[in-house]
Amino acid sequence: MATEVTVPVLGESITEATLGEWLKQPGDPVAVDEPIASLETDKVSVEVPSPVAGVMGQHAVAVGDTVQVGAMLATIDSGDGAAASAPAPAATATPAAAPAKDESGAGYGDQPGAGTSDSPAALSPSVRRAVLEHGVDPGTVKGTGRDGRITKEDVTAAASSKPAPAPAAAPAPAAAPAAASGRGEERVRMTRLRQTIAKRLKEAQNTAAMLTTFNDVDMTAVIEARAKYKDLFEKKHGVRLGFMGFFVKAATMALRDIPSVNASIDGDDIVYHDYADISVAVSSPGGLVVPVIRDADQMSVATIEKTIGDFGKRAKEGALKMDEMKGGTFTISNGGVFGSLMSTPIINPPQSAVLGLHRIEERPVVVDGQIVIRPMMYLALSYDHRLIDGREAVTFLVALKNAIEDPTRILIDL
């Protein structure tokens, strides 16, 4: 007897998704509630659990297909699937049980000894591309993703630690034509998340009267405070003291003083928020995602750092929840972690402003009539000019700058 596995309810207003990868192949043993597939929605990836224990039956859809809520994905055949981590029976190693398409990808480490995790088909499309780009043997990479699956970051780390290859022997004459014509191309379908990001960013450009204003901030005081207290901070709170905690806290104070930056436009109305839900841009294997720190204005720096750290970890694992991506009254994006010196960030609708942070760079500045070297960072505030005037945007940045250059202001709420 076979049990159908259908697309679960994905959240408010979400009616369809794209099949990102198969985590179980036909013939694999499956336990109750064990993930068998990963679906990509407009916001996050969702794993589909098995409703029963048994053996994975046939896949009803292929990787990359769009599926509606309630549609059948696969079947689970009756059988002994209680020990999902046990090696698959020898019969499942026959060609009939092999993946039907290369796009199908069970996660690395899901089934030790099942005979599929050493195959490139067991990797997600983004990980396979990284393996090909860096020339890494996936069998030597330790996965840090959910259930031990290999992530793109794992492949990059393995490539950076790989010893330089020994000088190759002189190539055979027959290999010359192949080397001369090595101009390969690969066409990869955009993920649903990437499609949604592209659509929303373009809508923001088309709708908002977007403008960006800049300032710079001397990071000396924050760097000194962090160096002085980072060990005690980590010992007491169990999390590292970073710069984002200072910026989020300073931003909530500036938003309180300049409420229009924390507002949004709804038709012909302006909606002002007496709370600060800060969206923080973090990287995930599928692209940039923006989880929300609820009531950040009521949090301590330590709580903010813990929340951001948890978001970053779960974003890499693809474990963020849809509810954590909704809402937000203001966004902070830190391009400095990738080396960006300056940028003009795009608003995250329906919000009316976004703050861009950039890399810290030592530059000569004039202080008290003297030229000194200071660690400086450029700040960029992109805002909707329909709602926020230039004076308010500049005042917001100045308030933020003052709080960062004198962190005591954050402590005494000034």
Side-chain angles (χ1 to χ4, degrees), residues 7-8 10-17 42 66-71 192:
V7 179
L10 299 170
E12 184 181 354
S13 76
I14 300 179
T15 60
E16 63 181 22
D42 292 347
T66 297
V67 292
Q68 303 291 324
V69 172
R192 178 171 292 272

Side-chain angles (χ1 to χ4, degrees), residues 20 43 68 74 81 110-111 157 166 222 254 270 272 280 287 310-311 320 348 364 368 380-381 394 404 409:
K43 296 181 178 181
Q68 303 291 324
D110 283 357
Q111 292 290 320
V222 167
I270 299 175
Y272 292 95
V280 288
D310 177 59
F311 283 157
L320 287 173
N348 180 24
D368 297 328
L381 182 74
V394 172
I404 295 298
R409 288 173 174 264

Side-chain angles (χ1 to χ4, degrees), residues 299-349:
M299 291 183 177
S300 66
V301 171
T303 305
I304 291 171
E305 289 287 0
K306 288 179 181 178
T307 304
I308 294 174
D310 177 59
F311 283 157
K313 178 182 178 181
R314 290 193 290 122
K316 291 181 179 179
E317 298 173 350
L320 287 173
K321 300 176 181 178
M322 291 185 191
D323 288 344
E324 294 172 322
M325 317 284 283
K326 295 179 181 178
T329 61
F330 181 77
T331 295
I332 300 179
S333 178
N334 185 7
V337 296
F338 304 110
S340 173
L341 177 63
M342 186 179 293
S343 67
T344 55
I346 299 178
I347 297 169
N348 180 24

Side-chain angles (χ1 to χ4, degrees), residues 183-378:
R183 289 166 53 84
E185 293 182 354
E186 181 184 11
R187 184 180 294 271
V188 179
R189 185 175 181 178
M190 290 177 69
T191 64
R192 178 171 292 272
L193 175 60
R194 176 54 60 185
Q195 293 177 40
T196 302
I197 291 172
K199 180 180 178 181
R200 287 176 59 83
L201 293 180
K202 189 57 183 173
E203 285 179 352
Q205 284 187 322
N206 294 340
T207 302
M210 199 154 54
L211 183 65
T212 304
T213 187
F214 299 92
N215 210 323
D216 61 2
V217 58
D218 186 344
M219 295 291 291
T220 300
V222 167
I223 290 175
E224 290 177 350
R226 182 170 178 263
K228 183 176 181 180
Y229 296 111
K230 64 178 181 180
D231 292 337
L232 289 174
F233 186 90
E234 185 170 4
K235 182 178 180 181
K236 179 175 180 179
H237 300 291
V239 65
R240 294 180 61 187
L241 177 60
F243 296 122
M244 281 296 288
F246 289 98
F247 276 103
V248 171
K249 195 64 180 176
T252 62
M253 296 170 57
L255 291 173
R256 182 191 57 200
D257 294 340
I258 316 295
S260 62
V261 181
N262 197 42
S264 60
I265 294 177
D266 183 10
D268 293 330
D269 299 328
I270 299 175
V271 181
Y272 292 95
H273 310 286
D274 62 358
Y275 54 89
D277 286 352
I278 306 298
S279 304
V280 288
V282 296
S283 294
S284 76
L288 201 66
V289 292
V290 193
V292 180
I293 306 174
R294 311 285 179 189
D295 296 315
D297 52 320
Q298 304 298 320
M299 291 183 177
S300 66
V301 171
T303 305
I304 291 171
E305 289 287 0
K306 288 179 181 178
T307 304
I308 294 174
D310 177 59
F311 283 157
K313 178 182 178 181
R314 290 193 290 122
K316 291 181 179 179
E317 298 173 350
L320 287 173
K321 300 176 181 178
M322 291 185 191
D323 288 344
E324 294 172 322
M325 317 284 283
K326 295 179 181 178
T329 61
F330 181 77
T331 295
I332 300 179
S333 178
N334 185 7
V337 296
F338 304 110
S340 173
L341 177 63
M342 186 179 293
S343 67
T344 55
I346 299 178
I347 297 169
N348 180 24
Q351 299 172 20
S352 296
V354 53
L355 175 68
L357 309 181
H358 302 91
R359 78 167 184 251
I360 301 171
E361 184 178 62
E362 289 191 341
R363 294 199 298 269
V365 296
V366 178
V367 178
D368 297 328
Q370 301 293 321
I371 298 177
V372 296
I373 303 297
R374 292 292 175 87
M376 305 296 293
M377 176 195 288
Y378 286 117

